[in-house]
Amino acid sequence: MAEQAAKLEQRRKMLSAEVASTELSYVSQLLMVKQIFLGPVEKSLESASSDKPPLLSEEEKEMLFGNLEHVLKLANELCKMLQLCTRNWDTDSCVSEVFQKCFTKDMRDSYLKYVAHYNRALVFMEKLERSAKSRGTPTHPFI
């Protein structure tokens, strides 16, 4: 019986570590989007002039990226708490408690907005691609 309990506890620990690892991967991907795509767009908006238009307008940036930075901040907080939980794992550790602490109204509302915004962003990306093809270029300069 003790051996079965130890196996079950080891499985809980491995699954919890997988949840933390998956969240870390998600945060890394969001950070990459921010650095590789959003950063240059914001920089081009700041330095735009009549000679050098921005990569995207402010409205287009909002349409494409929505509340990405806020979602990144929330996901990073969740990731840190999950990593702390799994790093200090014992038989009383419980990943669900981390989720209960993190899933506030702000997080729920932010993710709902992010998810609802997703289809609109895809449609906008398709529009950028069609526009680039009509000019005979493989992609929009932003991409």
Side-chain angles (χ1 to χ4, degrees):
M1 196 68 151
E3 185 180 320
Q4 189 177 9
K7 283 183 180 180
L8 183 60
E9 184 57 35
Q10 184 62 28
R11 183 165 164 79
R12 282 183 67 237
K13 183 178 180 179
M14 286 177 23
L15 290 171
S16 297
E18 179 63 28
V19 169
S21 173
T22 301
E23 190 64 22
L24 179 60
S25 176
Y26 176 63
V27 167
S28 296
Q29 291 170 13
L30 288 177
L31 188 57
M32 194 178 339
V33 169
K34 180 183 176 189
Q35 291 172 342
I36 294 173
F37 297 104
L38 180 57
V41 168
E42 288 177 330
K43 194 175 280 188
S44 78
L45 281 164
E46 291 169 7
S47 65
S49 66
S50 58
D51 298 343
K52 185 180 174 193
L55 294 170
L56 297 173
S57 70
E58 190 65 45
E59 295 78 29
E60 290 171 327
K61 181 191 97 165
E62 176 62 30
M63 192 178 306
L64 199 54
F65 296 102
N67 64 337
L68 173 91
E69 290 185 280
H70 189 64
V71 167
L72 174 59
K73 177 182 169 277
L74 295 171
N76 197 38
E77 290 171 14
L78 173 61
C79 185
K80 286 178 184 176
M81 290 180 71
L82 285 169
Q83 288 177 326
L84 183 63
C85 176
T86 57
R87 191 173 24 242
N88 299 324
W89 190 262
D90 64 25
T91 56
D92 293 329
S93 297
C94 189
V95 169
S96 66
E97 290 175 0
V98 172
F99 283 101
Q100 289 172 350
K101 287 177 188 173
C102 285
F103 278 101
T104 62
K105 182 179 181 334
D106 180 36
M107 182 175 266
R108 187 195 75 218
D109 292 348
S110 294
Y111 273 91
L112 286 173
K113 180 179 177 184
Y114 182 73
V115 170
H117 185 264
Y118 181 76
N119 286 335
R120 198 172 81 200
L122 286 180
V123 169
F124 181 66
M125 282 296 297
E126 289 171 1
K127 177 184 167 195
L128 289 176
E129 289 172 359
R130 282 193 308 274
S131 172
K133 283 180 184 176
S134 72
R135 290 189 315 275
T137 58
T139 57
H140 186 275
F142 156 71
I143 300 167

